[in-house]
Amino acid sequence: MRLLIVTEILTHPTQMGNQQRIYRECLQMKKKGWEIDFLYVGKAIDKGVFLTREFFGERHFFQYYRESMSIKTQLKRKMRKYIDDKGISKFYALKYGCDEWYIPGLADKIRYLNEKRKYDVLWLHYMFFSKTLQDLNDFPILKIIDTHDKWANRNRIFQKKKAIPEYFYTTVRQERKALSRADLIIAIQEKEAEYFKKILKGTNTNVLVIGDLVEKRPSSNCNNFYYGCIGAKNKPNILGLEWFCTKVLPIILKKCPESKFIVAGGVCDCISDYPGVYKLGKVKQLEDFYDNVKVAINPIQNGTGLNIKTVESLAFGKPLVTTSIGAKGISSKEKVLFKCDEPDDFADTIITLLKNDELCKYIVKNAQEYIENYNKMNVEILHSIEDYVYK
């Protein structure tokens, strides 16, 4: 089976959650023996482009970008910048149209590639380029959108925290318009799949759930009092860490002064130098972080989709303390993580885990079993896409 992956996200260096998702999906596709071409929609010529090209191979990596924007889109961007700068968007946000980020000529580029390569599947990451599917409606090819997130009314998540909305947010009607252009929608977790099925009722579009394809790989056991968080440089991570450092960390330092809080990843560049916070910065490998902490935390306060850091912590065999938002998409009969939304509860749970090795072992055992079954299920669903191609 031959696939064309179309995305504005490079797989390398694999640091952001969305990069990790795309990379891990492609790894499983390669293991299955599927042939993958990767079309990067972006103008960057940097290390990420070279590393991604190296991963897929020179013959399988393509790039397309054309700087073109309608007058309407230009005006909307100026208006959006104005209301962001004035702080108005904390209360009112000018939502994106589903085709506002579309790159003219992309469909022609895909037609050209298909004439040479004869694809079975066209796989778009995110809904932003869904107009491509409309322009290629005559293609006898399976058309897929991997959603990553639910984008309708996403601005409200930030507005609840009185923060300026970031990245992309749209209306339910616009999301339905974009997704209905595909034959198959990939949701990242069950609740979002239910939402997609609801808004796509009456269309011919099917919905599958494929979570994060992360295999269990337990890191070194730590009997120290180190706990930590790793995250990319984005607003949900920054807001979550600020909440933790101002509301939770002082409680831990008072009750357990011998403990140390380690932060890794790009988010280190965006948080203040709080007392008791040790910044590792970006790490070459995830093991460089997880091998040095006994307990992982994910204090995220807002967000959609599936929190990759949550799944990742379980896969690396670390007891995890997170919020209700961070635990979304994780469903298990056995206890595999600790869900805490109040500062005192969050702090006390971390301290308990730091001091209780038996409790840590019990949670890690459950989490590793969960990840093994979770990954097996997601791989099987990914492989089932062949049935949609050949039915």
Side-chain angles (χ1 to χ4, degrees), residues 120-184:
D120 300 298
V121 178
L122 175 59
W123 188 304
L124 304 186
H125 281 278
Y126 294 103
M127 55 172 270
F128 313 139
F129 303 141
S130 68
K131 192 174 185 297
T132 305
L133 305 184
Q134 178 179 292
D135 294 343
L136 300 173
N137 196 44
D138 58 320
F139 259 37
I141 189 174
L142 181 68
K143 303 175 182 70
I144 296 176
I145 296 177
D146 196 331
T147 58
H148 287 253
D149 280 293
K150 167 182 174 287
W151 299 101
N153 300 319
R154 187 172 176 268
N155 55 294
R156 294 175 185 172
I157 295 170
F158 296 92
Q159 290 167 336
K160 285 180 181 178
K161 303 292 180 181
K162 296 182 179 178
I164 294 172
E166 68 167 17
Y167 204 48
F168 193 87
Y169 38 90
T170 189
T171 64
V172 173
R173 180 176 292 182
Q174 286 289 299
E175 189 155 46
R176 183 184 190 277
K177 177 182 176 182
L179 299 184
S180 63
R181 294 164 170 166
D183 301 311
L184 186 61

Side-chain angles (χ1 to χ4, degrees), residues 312-323:
E312 198 173 74
S313 298
L314 303 182
F316 273 96
K318 295 299 174 182
L320 175 69
V321 185
T322 187
T323 59

Side-chain angles (χ1 to χ4, degrees), residues 311-348:
V311 179
E312 198 173 74
S313 298
L314 303 182
F316 273 96
K318 295 299 174 182
L320 175 69
V321 185
T322 187
T323 59
S324 298
I325 299 295
K328 284 195 307 181
I330 304 297
S331 178
S332 172
K333 293 180 180 179
E334 302 296 333
K335 194 169 187 64
V336 297
L337 54 76
F338 292 88
K339 185 167 58 177
C340 308
D341 292 311
E342 297 300 322
D344 285 322
D345 189 22
F346 210 107
D348 289 341

Side-chain angles (χ1 to χ4, degrees), residues 118-355:
K118 307 299 180 186
Y119 298 112
D120 300 298
V121 178
L122 175 59
W123 188 304
L124 304 186
H125 281 278
Y126 294 103
M127 55 172 270
F128 313 139
F129 303 141
S130 68
K131 192 174 185 297
T132 305
L133 305 184
Q134 178 179 292
D135 294 343
L136 300 173
N137 196 44
D138 58 320
F139 259 37
I141 189 174
L142 181 68
K143 303 175 182 70
I144 296 176
I145 296 177
D146 196 331
T147 58
H148 287 253
D149 280 293
K150 167 182 174 287
W151 299 101
N153 300 319
R154 187 172 176 268
N155 55 294
R156 294 175 185 172
I157 295 170
F158 296 92
Q159 290 167 336
K160 285 180 181 178
K161 303 292 180 181
K162 296 182 179 178
I164 294 172
E166 68 167 17
Y167 204 48
F168 193 87
Y169 38 90
T170 189
T171 64
V172 173
R173 180 176 292 182
Q174 286 289 299
E175 189 155 46
R176 183 184 190 277
K177 177 182 176 182
L179 299 184
S180 63
R181 294 164 170 166
D183 301 311
L184 186 61
I185 297 300
I186 306 297
I188 201 168
Q189 46 122 314
E190 193 60 49
K191 284 191 176 180
E192 292 193 357
E194 292 172 6
Y195 159 75
F196 293 139
K197 288 175 183 177
K198 182 178 179 181
I199 67 170
L200 289 168
K201 191 174 182 179
T203 71
N204 294 320
T205 305
N206 295 304
V207 180
L208 290 179
V209 180
I210 300 177
D212 189 27
L213 294 158
V214 54
E215 298 178 12
K216 70 173 185 177
R217 41 178 175 170
S219 54
S220 300
N221 292 323
C222 295
N223 294 317
N224 54 35
F225 275 64
Y226 290 13
Y227 63 102
C229 178
I230 185 169
K233 188 189 299 185
N234 60 48
K235 193 168 288 184
N237 285 340
I238 296 167
L239 292 174
L241 270 172
E242 286 178 347
W243 172 82
F244 180 83
C245 290
T246 56
K247 304 291 186 182
V248 182
L249 185 57
I251 301 172
I252 297 175
L253 290 175
K254 185 176 180 179
K255 294 184 176 182
C256 189
E258 67 271 36
S259 65
K260 290 187 177 181
F261 178 46
I262 297 174
V263 181
V267 71
C268 290
D269 299 334
C270 306
I271 61 170
S272 303
D273 294 323
Y274 293 99
V277 176
Y278 299 84
K279 299 178 183 178
L280 283 182
K282 292 181 180 179
V283 292
K284 289 184 178 180
Q285 296 180 337
L286 292 171
E287 288 86 350
D288 295 336
F289 166 73
Y290 285 106
D291 282 347
N292 287 292
V293 297
K294 183 175 184 178
V295 176
I297 72 161
N298 181 10
I300 194 164
Q301 300 291 297
N302 53 47
T304 53
L306 175 73
N307 205 273
I308 301 298
K309 287 191 297 298
T310 294
V311 179
E312 198 173 74
S313 298
L314 303 182
F316 273 96
K318 295 299 174 182
L320 175 69
V321 185
T322 187
T323 59
S324 298
I325 299 295
K328 284 195 307 181
I330 304 297
S331 178
S332 172
K333 293 180 180 179
E334 302 296 333
K335 194 169 187 64
V336 297
L337 54 76
F338 292 88
K339 185 167 58 177
C340 308
D341 292 311
E342 297 300 322
D344 285 322
D345 189 22
F346 210 107
D348 289 341
T349 302
I350 291 172
I351 294 169
T352 299
L353 286 166
L354 290 174
K355 294 182 176 181

